[in-house]
Amino acid sequence: MPLPFLTADRAFEDAADTALPFDDRDQWRRPYRPGPYRVGAAALLLLLASYVLFASVIIAAAGDTSAASVCGGIAVLIIAAALRLLRMGTWVSARGLRHVAFLKTQTVPWNKVVTARTVQQPVRWLGLPRTVQGQALILVRRDRQGEQTTLLTSHNGDFLGRATAFDRASDSVEVWSEEYRSQR
């Protein structure tokens, strides 16, 4: 017995990756969804923060407000780290390309982009020091000719085990790069 809601749900999932025609291209957008490893790590951090907040409430009820405020401050730092972890990635808009890392954000206008291309090279596995053979989306800038910035890799928290998602995301960033470099 076919279930129509499954068909509609599947069609919705396929259409979720394409931009809508009325979307504002001047708004910063990530051309892919955060991966399961990144979302899972952020969820674990938020779970830890809930325990720390609960501990700060218990400490405050016991009467030690200075220790409770320290626990509350630690919980706020854990929540901020989880939110920053979810914000990490490559973002595009009509104004340029933005690479958001955990501690820094780098924005490059399209007129300073020479090329964004996918290359086969050793990449870091989940951001750890161990390297494996994979693909990386490389950005070459006009003002820094000898330097290449790695925007996405096939083995980071967003794309590990999701090769087709990496291909779609890298193709999308390359298309944005070609389109807006030619206009500026």
Side-chain angles (χ1 to χ4, degrees):
M1 175 175 149
L3 301 174
F5 64 87
L6 289 179
T7 306
D9 189 34
R10 197 169 297 120
F12 175 74
E13 286 294 325
D14 293 339
D17 291 333
T18 60
L20 298 174
F22 55 83
D23 280 344
D24 184 15
R25 294 182 74 85
D26 289 330
Q27 239 180 348
W28 290 103
R29 70 178 76 197
R30 185 178 7 211
Y32 56 92
R33 293 181 180 168
Y37 292 98
R38 186 174 310 281
V39 172
L44 288 176
L45 281 174
L46 290 173
L47 181 66
L48 176 65
S50 71
Y51 286 123
V52 174
L53 279 173
F54 188 66
S56 73
V57 168
I58 291 173
I59 293 170
D64 192 2
T65 58
S66 64
S69 63
V70 168
C71 268
I74 291 171
V76 167
L77 288 175
I78 293 172
I79 291 169
L83 293 177
R84 186 63 180 187
L85 187 66
L86 288 174
R87 182 95 173 129
M88 289 172 52
T90 300
W91 297 72
V92 292
S93 81
R95 292 175 282 182
L97 188 132
R98 180 174 286 173
H99 181 66
V100 179
F102 190 73
L103 295 176
K104 73 176 188 172
T105 299
Q106 182 181 24
T107 303
V108 181
W110 290 119
N111 59 1
K112 292 188 179 178
V113 173
V114 173
T115 185
R117 66 180 188 276
T118 305
V119 295
Q120 189 85 16
Q121 69 178 27
V123 296
R124 296 173 75 180
W125 183 76
L126 288 176
L128 299 172
R130 179 178 176 227
T131 60
V132 294
Q133 192 64 26
Q135 293 181 332
L137 180 65
I138 301 294
L139 172 71
V140 179
R141 296 175 55 170
R142 198 173 307 282
D143 54 348
R144 298 180 187 166
Q145 282 292 346
E147 184 180 323
Q148 295 180 346
T149 305
T150 303
L151 298 175
L152 305 171
T153 66
S154 59
H155 288 77
N156 68 4
D158 290 323
F159 302 111
L160 186 63
R162 297 174 50 207
T164 57
F166 174 78
D167 291 338
R168 275 188 308 215
S170 61
D171 289 345
S172 177
V173 172
E174 288 175 10
V175 165
W176 275 75
S177 172
E178 287 296 321
E179 180 180 342
Y180 281 102
R181 277 188 305 120
S182 63
Q183 290 180 4
R184 307 236 175 211

